[in-house]
Amino acid sequence: MTALSRDARLATWIAEEQAIRNQLAAPGTLSLAEVAAMPPMDFFDGIGRGDLPSPPINAVLDFTPVQWASGLFVFQGTPDQRHYNPLGSVHGGYIATLLDSCMGCAVHTLLKTGQGYTTADLRVSYIRALRSEVGPVRAEGRIIHVGRSTALAEGRLYDVDERLYAVASTTCLILDMNAPRQNGDAGVR
């Protein structure tokens, strides 16, 4: 099997992102009750088909879900000058947001209907500066462990050449979305 050339990989990445973008609904949110009633993969498939609203953060930072499966979630974004810090590179918060999103969604894929999650801890190690000339990057989250009350995941941010820009890990609290809430928060299970 021959590896794709860089140009072919880049074209594939762009085509995959555009195919999803063409299907996404307008940004919006669902109620906790609506999300809690859906199996997680149905939730993500619904977003990907455009049956459910796309998450507003994706529009704000211009990133798109491009792949999801049980225990795996991948977002793609192309940073530009809007995402720069005063030093002339992409702000670490952009990178951290993509990594937090892919890892959290990877956790969500393995939860039971009625469960949710929230990030309890996020650790990011930046490897090199990211600039807009790099083009699209992917944030890939994978599950390490899912227990009754916590889940752990790892993530990496890389470009079409597989050059690594950051790695991350997270601990997420697993929430019972059907538990009585105080101040609108879901209950910790």
Side-chain angles (χ1 to χ4, degrees), residues 38-99:
M38 283 185 249
M41 291 306 291
D42 290 353
F43 175 68
F44 291 118
D45 290 342
I47 291 171
R49 285 190 310 267
D51 297 338
L52 299 174
S54 60
I57 189 69
N58 295 17
V60 170
L61 292 181
D62 196 24
F63 64 96
T64 305
V66 293
Q67 182 183 1
W68 55 93
S70 185
L72 168 74
F73 213 96
V74 182
F75 285 102
Q76 182 170 306
T78 303
D80 60 37
Q81 296 289 324
R82 296 173 298 161
H83 306 117
Y84 270 39
N85 62 34
L87 301 176
S89 62
V90 173
H91 192 283
Y94 174 87
I95 294 166
T97 300
L98 265 68
L99 288 165

Side-chain angles (χ1 to χ4, degrees), residues 146-185:
V146 177
R148 284 184 305 113
S149 60
T150 60
L152 289 87
E154 60 189 1
R156 61 190 195 104
L157 187 86
Y158 56 94
D159 66 17
V160 72
D161 296 315
E162 295 286 328
R163 189 174 310 115
L164 200 56
Y165 291 87
V167 294
S169 61
T170 190
T171 302
C172 293
L173 295 177
I174 297 174
L175 308 172
D176 179 352
M177 302 291 277
N178 298 313
R181 291 180 256 302
Q182 294 179 333
N183 303 324
D185 293 329

